[in-house]
Amino acid sequence: MFKCSHFILIVLSGLVWTVIGVMLMTLGMHHMMDTLRFWDEIVISPSFSLFKSLALVFPRPEQAMAALIIGCILIGYVKGHFVLNKSVRSGVQKILGYPNPAELKNLYTRKYYVLLLFMMCLGFFIRWLKLPGDIHGAIDLAIGSALLKGAFSYFKYAWAEKRGVLAQDK
């Protein structure tokens, strides 16, 4: 089987989180921009909208959208810092528990793959619900920014492993 150093495995895990995070943030921004583009229709719609609620506070729709986007990114960052960092630390410790170099198949556990499958199903479910664009976009932006924060943590651990700092902590 293909073997990689601990450093490479940690970087690969961070890259997976980065790719998914960027993809979700891109989708979220598309939903947000569609919401902004159809502002006139959203204002007269009777359905709930985060964007419409914020537009009552800000004088221009662009300002309301900017506030919504910044809020979602901040929520994601906080979630990434306080929740996903624990998952990252656990993943890194698992990788460091294998002999160096370790097999690529040891990157994630079966439990982790089940979690990924569940998250993908949740994404399809959200799409199936046909939520308003601003709500769907807010969810994608928050999750995407949380994943990017987690990815940066992976890269931080990878850099520490490269310098030999993590090997000394074992």
Side-chain angles (χ1 to χ4, degrees):
M1 187 47 110
F2 190 68
K3 292 189 175 193
C4 299
S5 69
H6 289 163
F7 170 77
I8 294 296
L9 288 175
I10 296 169
V11 167
L12 282 175
S13 199
L15 286 173
V16 167
W17 284 40
T18 300
V19 168
I20 296 170
V22 167
M23 182 191 72
L24 284 173
M25 288 192 75
T26 302
L27 286 171
M29 287 302 293
H30 281 293
H31 286 298
M32 294 295 195
M33 292 304 105
D34 282 345
T35 300
L36 189 58
R37 189 175 326 130
F38 298 113
W39 164 244
D40 295 336
E41 296 169 21
I42 292 170
V43 170
I44 60 174
S45 170
S47 61
F48 173 76
S49 169
L50 293 171
F51 180 50
K52 190 169 26 173
S53 300
L54 281 173
L56 298 173
V57 178
F58 293 94
R60 298 186 58 209
E62 295 84 4
Q63 293 170 334
M65 182 57 71
L68 181 57
I69 290 170
I70 290 168
C72 292
I73 292 172
L74 285 175
I75 288 169
Y77 179 86
V78 169
K79 179 183 179 182
H81 184 75
F82 291 107
V83 177
L84 294 184
N85 267 350
K86 294 174 187 174
S87 177
V88 170
R89 192 175 321 116
S90 170
V92 169
Q93 291 302 322
K94 182 186 72 63
I95 290 170
L96 293 176
Y98 294 117
N100 198 5
E103 293 186 15
L104 185 58
K105 70 177 185 177
N106 294 329
L107 185 60
Y108 299 123
T109 62
R110 277 196 181 123
K111 182 177 153 185
Y112 192 85
Y113 286 115
V114 169
L115 178 65
L116 284 175
L117 181 64
F118 173 74
M119 295 300 283
M120 287 172 55
C121 290
L122 188 61
F124 290 128
F125 180 69
I126 288 172
R127 187 180 304 161
W128 178 77
L129 284 176
K130 299 206 185 308
L131 294 172
D134 59 338
I135 295 173
H136 193 165
I139 292 168
D140 287 346
L141 275 174
I143 294 171
S145 65
L147 287 171
L148 283 178
K149 172 62 174 114
F152 288 130
S153 295
Y154 267 116
F155 298 139
K156 182 184 77 172
Y157 281 116
W159 180 247
E161 170 62 20
K162 186 73 170 175
R163 291 180 308 171
V165 175
L166 289 180
Q168 296 168 0
D169 291 343
K170 284 200 254 181

